[in-house]
Amino acid sequence: TIEDAVRDNIAWFKAGKVWLPTESSWLPAYEHELMLFPNGSHDDQVDSTSQFLQDSIKGDMMARIRVLG
């Protein structure tokens, strides 16, 4: 389930291995969705973030791209 995948990926955030821009027009909505999960009305960005992190763990080279802000 998406809940299980997110639970597995929390360590990446806590370890500082997920880099987000410090300022961006989309950042507040993204963080809001992450913080409300699983009780929010949307989970598309949570799901795509989880999939990206899972691909990174598997060694997918495209998933190693870091977005720097």
Side-chain angles (χ1 to χ4, degrees):
T1 68
I2 186 173
E3 289 87 358
D4 293 332
V6 169
R7 196 173 307 112
D8 291 345
N9 292 323
I10 288 173
W12 285 70
F13 283 91
K14 288 183 176 182
K17 294 184 178 184
V18 177
W19 296 9
L20 298 172
T22 55
E23 294 181 26
S24 181
S25 61
W26 54 266
L27 189 59
Y30 176 77
E31 290 177 325
H32 183 73
E33 185 176 312
L34 288 177
M35 298 306 288
L36 289 180
F37 183 81
N39 299 315
S41 58
H42 301 287
D43 68 3
D44 295 343
Q45 295 181 103
V46 174
D47 191 24
S48 61
T49 299
S50 178
Q51 184 62 51
F52 175 84
L53 292 174
Q54 289 298 318
D55 289 346
S56 294
I57 292 168
K58 293 175 189 171
D60 183 338
M61 290 303 291
M62 288 304 293
R64 295 176 185 264
I65 298 170
R66 292 184 179 169
V67 177
L68 304 175

